[in-house]
Amino acid sequence: VSEQYAQGLGPTVRGLRDLLAIQASHRIEKMHFATTDAPEFPSVFSAVGRRRWVVVGMESHVCVFQTVRGLLDLGVQVFVPDDAVVSRSASNRARGLALMAGMGATLTSTETVVFDALHIAGTADFKALSKRIR
């Protein structure tokens, strides 16, 4: 999880922080638009060790776009749920999504990401998550 200029813009809202239960070592307070350009990112990237990344966030045409570009440059597969990114204007959101798709990110939806990760219905995780995304 990255936070853009938390001192000035404020931290991630408590409810989301609690839901994500992010380890302190996997949280980056950044000034760079691209999370991948933050000095702490290489150690987080190595610690997480994922070849597939899901990127969500604010300002799809700036921070989300630049982070996706940085991840693609690192050779990982990137998924962007289009219902989980925003910008201050619809045109900037659309522009950001188009740029990311053009670079090779896979545009998807939150529901697709969640059910792809679950693989099976009927489990306790399925029941809990399906209630949250409806």
Side-chain angles (χ1 to χ4, degrees):
V1 170
S2 65
E3 296 176 323
Q4 179 69 27
Y5 185 49
Q7 180 181 353
L9 299 174
T12 302
V13 295
R14 181 177 200 91
L16 186 55
R17 267 195 332 253
D18 293 348
L19 275 174
L20 294 172
I22 298 300
Q23 300 173 30
S25 63
H26 291 164
R27 194 175 112 252
I28 298 172
E29 292 183 24
K30 65 183 183 72
M31 292 294 291
H32 293 83
F33 295 123
T35 301
T36 53
D37 290 341
E40 305 88 349
F41 183 75
S43 62
V44 171
F45 183 79
S46 295
V48 171
R50 303 283 182 185
R51 300 301 304 155
R52 294 185 185 121
W53 287 67
V54 177
V55 180
V56 302
M58 298 178 68
E59 303 306 344
S60 65
H61 63 296
V62 181
C63 294
V64 177
F65 157 66
Q66 289 185 30
T67 297
V68 167
R69 180 177 58 199
L71 287 167
L72 290 169
D73 286 348
L74 290 170
V76 298
Q77 198 172 15
V78 180
F79 298 87
V80 179
D82 62 7
D83 57 348
V85 297
V86 297
S87 289
R88 287 173 288 159
S89 73
S91 64
N92 279 338
R93 180 179 171 276
R95 184 171 292 111
L97 289 169
L99 286 166
M100 290 180 275
M103 291 184 307
T106 301
L107 299 185
T108 186
S109 71
T110 299
E111 189 168 356
T112 299
V113 169
V114 168
F115 290 141
D116 188 46
L118 288 172
H119 297 286
I120 188 169
T123 66
D125 286 340
F126 169 81
K127 291 173 185 174
L129 290 170
S130 63
K131 285 180 187 178
R132 287 187 185 261
I133 63 173
R134 291 178 198 250

